[in-house]
Amino acid sequence: SDVPKGCLAVYVGEERQRYIIRAHLLNHPVFRPLLEESASEFGFKHSGGLKFACDTRQFEQMLLLV
C-alpha cells in the first residue's frame, strides 16, 4: 500500500479524486457533516477508501481550515 501509517485514502467528488490525509483529521468538527452525509449516501459497509460526496474544491477548502 502507498498509504503511510496514520493516514488513509479518501475519494472525493464524482470523479473520485484520491487524497491521502492523516486519519486524525476526521475527528475535526469541520469533517463531521461531511462524514454524516457520506454515511447517508454510501453507507458504512464498502470496500476501499472513504468516499466523500462533496466536490474537490470544497474538500480542499476544508483541508485548509484544519
Side-chain angles (χ1 to χ4, degrees):
S1 172
D2 63 337
V3 180
K5 186 175 182 175
C7 297
L8 65 137
V10 295
Y11 298 88
V12 180
E14 290 182 26
E15 65 280 355
R16 299 288 185 248
Q17 175 70 39
R18 184 175 190 243
Y19 293 86
I20 304 296
I21 64 168
R22 295 216 167 261
H24 73 85
L25 291 178
L26 297 180
N27 290 324
H28 195 282
V30 157
F31 281 97
R32 177 143 330 267
L34 185 57
L35 288 167
E36 290 172 358
E37 180 182 341
S38 295
S40 174
E41 183 165 333
F42 302 116
F44 290 106
K45 293 184 178 183
H46 56 82
S47 61
L50 281 173
K51 297 178 183 96
F52 289 136
C54 67
D55 63 36
T56 56
R57 187 171 169 190
Q58 178 186 5
F59 184 76
E60 289 173 3
Q61 288 297 317
M62 292 173 75
L63 288 176
L64 290 175
L65 291 173
V66 297

